[in-house]
Amino acid sequence: MRQRVTVLGSTGSIGKNTLDVIARHPERFEVFALSAATQTDLLLAQCAQFRPRYAVMASAAHARDLAEKIQSNGLPTQVLQAPDALETIASHAEVDSVMAAIVGAAGLAPCLAAAHAGKRLLLANKEALVVGGEVFLRAVRDGHATLLPIDSEHSAIFQSLPDDPATWGERVDKIILTASGGPFRSRAPGSLRDVTPEDACAHPNWVMGRKISVDSATMMNKALEVIEARYLFGLAPEQLDVVIHPQSTIHSMVQYRDMSVVAQMGTPDMRVPIAYGLSWPERVASGAAALDFHALGAMTFESIDDHGHPERFPSLRLAWETLAAPPGSTVVLNAANEVAVAAFLERRIRFDQIHALNVETLTAVPSSKPDSLAALLELDAQARSSAQQHAARMAA
């Protein structure tokens, strides 16, 4: 039987790449449901191509617009728009796999629903673990779900670890996440106050959405990935390391107790980890180009502080600081950063103020140990409110 897939966030970069892989293997996969935030016309085109049973839009107005267009085009897709519509298509009894590609904390509830329902959960949403933490992992365990990382770095680690997770603690010395360094790897820290949203979104290697591109420029994406790796792989924070690798050819590495290192390599194409997640433990063609080792050129590595400017990426240090703090600290950090990046993209604060806003919010919002979705969302709301206040003061 074909694997029935729900794609949460189908109009984003990960969602579109997922549908590209699925389209290459119609004998293996079929699309059961799709969701989007605002891109009605693109979701309509995806419904015309893949003819899913359900489609979900984030707002009632966009849902009505999509429903009218689907009806006028004679498509069989039913449009859902309800507070729990995302949870419905993530946990539906007929769904086998869920691609979780909604950016931000908005993706947490459907991820939890898929986990509780025991789905094969392809996790491209960092926040499910950064925000959900032990609550999310408990849902995965209780629901007997299969959790597969889709971030290129975490997929690389997963592919480089031993097959038996029970042996990770005794066999692995540390995990090394690679980072491109983003567009400002060699830029003088003093000039970062002048960075525009267009500058920050011009990633040298990867094609990504605006929010993730800004996170890459500040290295907050790597901070979130360190937190995610802590929860995904169960190692201590001090066993997690980051190295700058500008070519993005090695996607991450695992160093074993005997000091051997296993690395996963490939072209910087998200279809590779997506195809692996969809087909695991098998492998299928992804559509990505093969590495040409004859034309590859040198691969280089740098310490985060190699250029003598540790202040260039201060956001990265927040990963270890929040992991050492009460568990709710990672919730606060994620919420603050979402508000800060949005304020920067709207030109209300400067690029170099993103980190300051995050730190101020972490200081202002008392941490707790959330033990439910409701508690997580309440803490998330408190952090967002505080961050908005800080952003308003900075913009004044």
Side-chain angles (χ1 to χ4, degrees), residues 11-87:
T11 58
S13 176
I14 296 293
K16 289 186 286 187
N17 278 314
T18 299
L19 293 177
D20 180 89
V21 174
I22 287 174
R24 296 171 187 275
H25 303 279
E27 76 289 352
R28 295 182 65 113
F29 309 110
E30 63 177 288
V31 176
F32 180 83
L34 299 172
S35 85
T38 60
Q39 296 191 64
T40 307
D41 289 338
L42 178 52
L43 186 56
L44 175 66
Q46 292 175 343
C47 289
Q49 179 179 358
F50 295 96
R51 304 177 77 84
R53 186 181 304 184
Y54 298 113
V56 173
M57 296 295 296
S59 73
H62 287 99
R64 286 193 297 270
D65 184 25
L66 179 64
E68 291 171 2
K69 292 176 177 178
I70 280 180
Q71 184 176 18
S72 65
N73 282 272
L75 299 175
T77 303
Q78 179 183 350
V79 179
L80 303 178
Q81 208 291 310
D84 61 350
L86 290 175
E87 290 95 309

Side-chain angles (χ1 to χ4, degrees), residues 9 14 19 28 40 44 63 67 91 205 210 215 231 235 253 271 282 293 303 305 309 320 334 345-346 350 359 378:
I14 296 293
L19 293 177
R28 295 182 65 113
T40 307
L44 175 66
S91 61
N205 298 338
R210 283 164 61 80
D215 282 348
Y231 287 114
L235 299 183
M253 300 171 273
R271 290 177 296 178
E282 302 176 36
F293 285 93
S303 164
D305 300 333
H309 296 294
W320 287 273
N334 179 75
L345 289 172
E346 293 164 7
R350 300 191 311 269
V359 172
E378 181 180 355

Side-chain angles (χ1 to χ4, degrees), residues 110-138:
C111 281
L112 280 167
H116 281 299
K119 303 304 181 186
R120 181 191 186 100
L121 182 52
L122 312 179
L123 194 63
N125 173 290
K126 293 181 178 66
E127 293 76 16
L129 282 164
V130 173
V131 176
E134 290 299 332
V135 173
F136 177 69
L137 290 180
R138 185 169 64 244

Side-chain angles (χ1 to χ4, degrees), residues 208-265:
M208 304 180 293
R210 283 164 61 80
K211 194 269 181 182
I212 299 175
S213 294
V214 175
D215 282 348
S216 178
T218 63
M219 288 282 275
M220 178 55 74
N221 74 317
K222 210 55 53 177
L224 297 177
E225 286 170 13
V226 168
I227 297 168
E228 187 180 5
R230 165 70 182 91
Y231 287 114
L232 269 174
F233 306 116
L235 299 183
E238 57 268 23
Q239 290 178 281
L240 305 173
D241 196 5
V242 174
V243 65
I244 291 181
H245 171 48
Q247 295 79 23
S248 295
T249 302
I250 293 178
H251 298 137
S252 278
M253 300 171 273
V254 174
Q255 182 170 293
Y256 284 81
R257 296 289 187 187
D258 62 0
M259 297 300 111
S260 63
V261 176
V262 175
Q264 189 266 342
M265 302 173 64

